[in-house]
Amino acid sequence: MNKPVAMDKLKLIIKREYLAKVRNRSFIVMTILSPLLIVGMIAVVVFLTRMNNDQKKVIGLLDESIYFGNQFITGPELSFVDLEGITLEEARDSVAAMGYYGLLHIPNDTSIEAVSEGIQFYSRNSPSMAVTGMLESRIGKRLREEKLQELGVSQKVVQELASNYEIRTSTFSGERSVKGINELKAAIGGGFGYLIMMFIIIYGAFVMRSVIEEKTSRIIEVIISSVKPFQLMLGKIIGTSLAGITQFVIWIISASVLGVVVFSLMGIHWTELNSGTNIPPETMETINEAAASNEIVEIYLAELLKIPWITLFVSFIIYFVLGYLIYSSIYAAIGAAVDNETDTQQFMFPVIMPLMLAIYVGFFSVFDNPHGPIAVGFSLFPLTSPIVMLMRLPAGVGADGVPWWQLITSVILLMLTFIGIVWLAAKIYRVGILMYGKKPTYRELYKWLKYN
Amino acid sequence: MSDLLVLKDLCKWYGAYQALDHVNLEIPRGSIFGLLGPNGAGKTTLIRIINQITHPDSGEVLFDGKPLNRDHIRRIGYLPEERGLYKSMKVGEQALYLSQLKGLSHQEAKRRLEYWFEKFGVSGWWDKKVQELSKGMAQKVQFIVTVLHEPELLIFDEPFSGFDPINANLIKDEILQLRDKGATVIFSTHRMESVEELCDHIALIHQSRKILDGNLNAIKKAHKSNTYEVGLLHDNPQDLKQELDTMFTTREAVFRSLGEELKLRIALENGTGRKELLSLLNSRAEVTYFNEVIPSANDIFIQTVNEQAGGNGQA
């Protein structure tokens, strides 16, 4: 067959697979609903959290001692109501009657230690950690001050002691660097890696289901009497992934538009959402604190600009395309080998495992040590490299980042694997699509590989 | 060049199992060719090789005198045994897609589809999804798609299984018309009686080997055993039977008749002609039924298998 005809047929297949996917009712529903659900869920969580926090907790304070006079002033979360000249019994009753959150009783005694030993908090149910934590820190602070004074440290010194300190860091070459930037970089790479994994899992399964559908509807032999099985497999994978990209783009655009609209309506600032992301809390604190200082913001921007975006982007495309093709051809082969979806279970685990491994290795090892032996190993191993290498790449390529030889080796290994896997998958696919009523075993699949 | 398709010495292995064992076949242009044999004999493998779905381990296929290649695909129409359509795709779109895969242009495919849909009375189904169609309708669509690109070679694997009698007849007629227009047709089936009347050539496949092939009439002539079924009216049938038994080998015969006649199957020795038999019978009784027993393809198949098994047993 001449090339143009083969290409025309491939285009026809891609078009059909694409349209079959995007016209599918559940696909349309998912495309529209998912951003609504995600934005809605975040909005609800944020809304509930704020409602919870907005409610100021009122605590009755029965202070019989002389030590804690100025410690319990009303703050943003807690407000205190001083109760004076009544007994503990009366105080408990009235707090309960007033519907306050709780009662803090500070008895009188000779020393502050003895007083603090006797402090008691009464509440209807067991109090929340947030409340007890706040009370404990206030009492603890006062206790420390008192002890320091007893040791002869003046009030002024005590106040000066209470200063925040943050270490300033720089690279060997003398540039200022900031804490948390490595984590941030790894998180950016991790985002790309995660995207690849999600894409593979969602749309790989689509490819598999589509193959099974062709088998169960018995149309497969009609089609492969016109086109080569490999063309059909390739067309199916490409068509499905184009549908997937369409869906992803719609999701990203609509979710961001929706997000901006909803959150601005609710008056939520984006920083409030950060607790939900994968950036470690310390990093966020650093970033928030740093925001106060322009100099540090500039350093962050400079660091972000130093991420080799072009290399990262090109690598993302390469790893995405090759990784997706490898996995989706495995999915296609699985679909061809079975008669229905329930039979796929035994083959699914070995496919999902390297993906999960890559993500876990990425989050637990690459974040801490992007160029350690584990990170290097998994970024070379072809089934995990699309995810792990992308987590390493934001650190840069070359002297202080990923060595060039590692990047090149990784891509070459991935390409070789791609050729090998697609070849094997195509063989299994070609035999499998014409097999009915056989429950395939690994042994059986191995036999298929030897058919002409 | 009278043979459209020539298969030379085809062998095909699936692992340790040999699906085809040195099969040679010539399929004459314009014939209706029956590829007959039990399930698992290798018919489907043979057909898949012709359709280039699988490839032989050795041997050669010549299509119109040239080694089979991908360009021949558009000259072949194939209705597989395992057939179906995309359930959630619209009928028209699906038919267009399948015919474009065979190499028709979009406009040409559409023009021809309109003609066939009209002819089969399914024009109203263009925008319906296949899952909304009755099984008979889906079968019509399937048939249209198979023949739409006007292939020179039509291959039907188990053609009438799953078709209701009305559709089966409709499709039989269409196939005969296509043959009259010059197409060559291959029927592959294990239900030999279902296609026998249509075929002019047959090949019998058994256990991966071709055991017999040729013109159907010639084969039948070669296999007929000079046996006649007769119906005889006589006052004393028992005496007549005893008398005939002394002259010929007879058996009781079963056929439908209205009278109470004696029904016999008479095998003639070499030398005795049917004329002599008929005049002998006429002189003894009233002949109500006289019919030469022509072996069915099924009989010939069983006979050939037995003969070859016997031959192999002695070897």
Side-chain angles (χ1 to χ4, degrees), chain A residues 1 9 12-13 16 23 213-214 217-219 221-228 434 436 451-452, chain B residues 12 14-15 48 53 56-57 70 73 78 82-87 89 93-94 97 100-102:
Chain A
M1 179 188 297
K9 288 188 179 179
L12 273 171
I13 297 167
R16 194 211 82 86
R23 282 185 191 162
E213 190 212 328
E214 272 171 0
S217 71
R218 297 289 195 267
I219 195 174
E221 198 168 346
V222 176
I223 291 180
I224 60 167
S225 67
S226 306
V227 301
K228 288 182 179 169
L434 294 172
Y436 292 106
Y451 289 178
N452 181 13
Chain B
K12 175 76 186 173
Y14 289 114
R48 284 180 179 165
I53 290 169
D57 292 318
R70 296 300 292 182
I73 283 197
Y78 174 41
E82 300 286 357
R83 48 191 175 242
L85 297 164
Y86 287 114
K87 289 195 171 50
M89 204 174 173
E93 247 174 53
Q94 178 147 224
Y97 172 63
Q100 280 176 278
L101 283 185
K102 277 286 182 193

Side-chain angles (χ1 to χ4, degrees), chain A residues 22 46 113 129-130 147 226 400 405-406 417 427 446 450:
Chain A
V22 298
V46 171
E113 279 93 356
M129 290 275 280
K147 278 183 184 162
S226 306
D400 35 345
W405 72 265
Q406 285 180 9
T417 311
K427 282 203 128 185
Y446 177 71
K450 292 192 284 191

Side-chain angles (χ1 to χ4, degrees), chain A residues 110-278:
Chain A
T110 47
S111 72
I112 189 161
E113 279 93 356
V115 169
S116 53
E117 285 290 305
I119 292 176
Q120 191 88 356
F121 184 73
Y122 302 93
S123 62
R124 190 164 294 118
N125 308 310
S126 49
S128 79
M129 290 275 280
V131 171
T132 52
M134 243 175 299
L135 295 175
E136 277 163 5
S137 84
R138 286 174 196 210
I139 294 166
K141 192 178 167 212
R142 179 78 190 93
L143 215 59
R144 203 161 50 241
E145 281 173 12
E146 190 63 31
K147 278 183 184 162
L148 284 167
Q149 253 166 14
E150 273 172 24
L151 290 168
V153 183
S154 74
Q155 189 77 34
K156 194 163 159 271
V157 176
V158 171
Q159 264 164 20
E160 274 175 9
L161 268 174
S163 65
N164 272 326
Y165 176 73
E166 190 174 343
I167 195 162
R168 292 159 76 92
T169 54
S170 47
T171 64
F172 285 132
S173 50
E175 285 173 82
R176 263 305 288 277
S177 64
V178 275
K179 282 201 304 180
I181 195 71
N182 277 335
E183 283 82 354
L184 187 67
K185 282 179 177 174
I188 290 169
F192 281 123
Y194 200 72
L195 202 66
I196 291 183
M197 186 197 76
M198 289 309 291
F199 200 90
I200 289 174
I201 288 182
I202 298 177
Y203 300 103
F206 276 172
V207 170
M208 186 181 77
R209 249 177 257 135
S210 161
V211 174
I212 294 175
E213 190 212 328
E214 272 171 0
K215 266 189 95 172
T216 51
S217 71
R218 297 289 195 267
I219 195 174
I220 188 76
E221 198 168 346
V222 176
I223 291 180
I224 60 167
S225 67
S226 306
V227 301
K228 288 182 179 169
F230 183 70
Q231 279 178 308
L232 179 63
M233 186 175 111
L234 197 65
K236 189 176 285 297
I237 289 172
I238 296 174
T240 306
S241 52
L242 289 179
I245 290 169
T246 309
Q247 192 174 45
F248 253 65
V249 169
I250 293 176
W251 276 349
I252 289 168
I253 293 173
S254 62
S256 20
V257 170
L258 210 66
V260 168
V261 171
V262 168
F263 295 145
S264 58
L265 278 180
M266 290 177 71
I268 303 169
H269 192 257
W270 66 274
T271 46
E272 283 185 54
L273 304 176
N274 284 327
S275 51
T277 64
N278 288 316

Side-chain angles (χ1 to χ4, degrees), chain A residues 101 222 289:
Chain A
Y101 185 79
V222 176
E289 280 165 25

Side-chain angles (χ1 to χ4, degrees), chain A residues 364-385:
Chain A
F364 290 115
S365 180
V366 178
F367 272 25
D368 287 343
N369 191 0
H371 306 305
I374 293 179
V376 172
F378 279 91
S379 62
L380 293 179
F381 181 62
L383 290 178
T384 52
S385 63

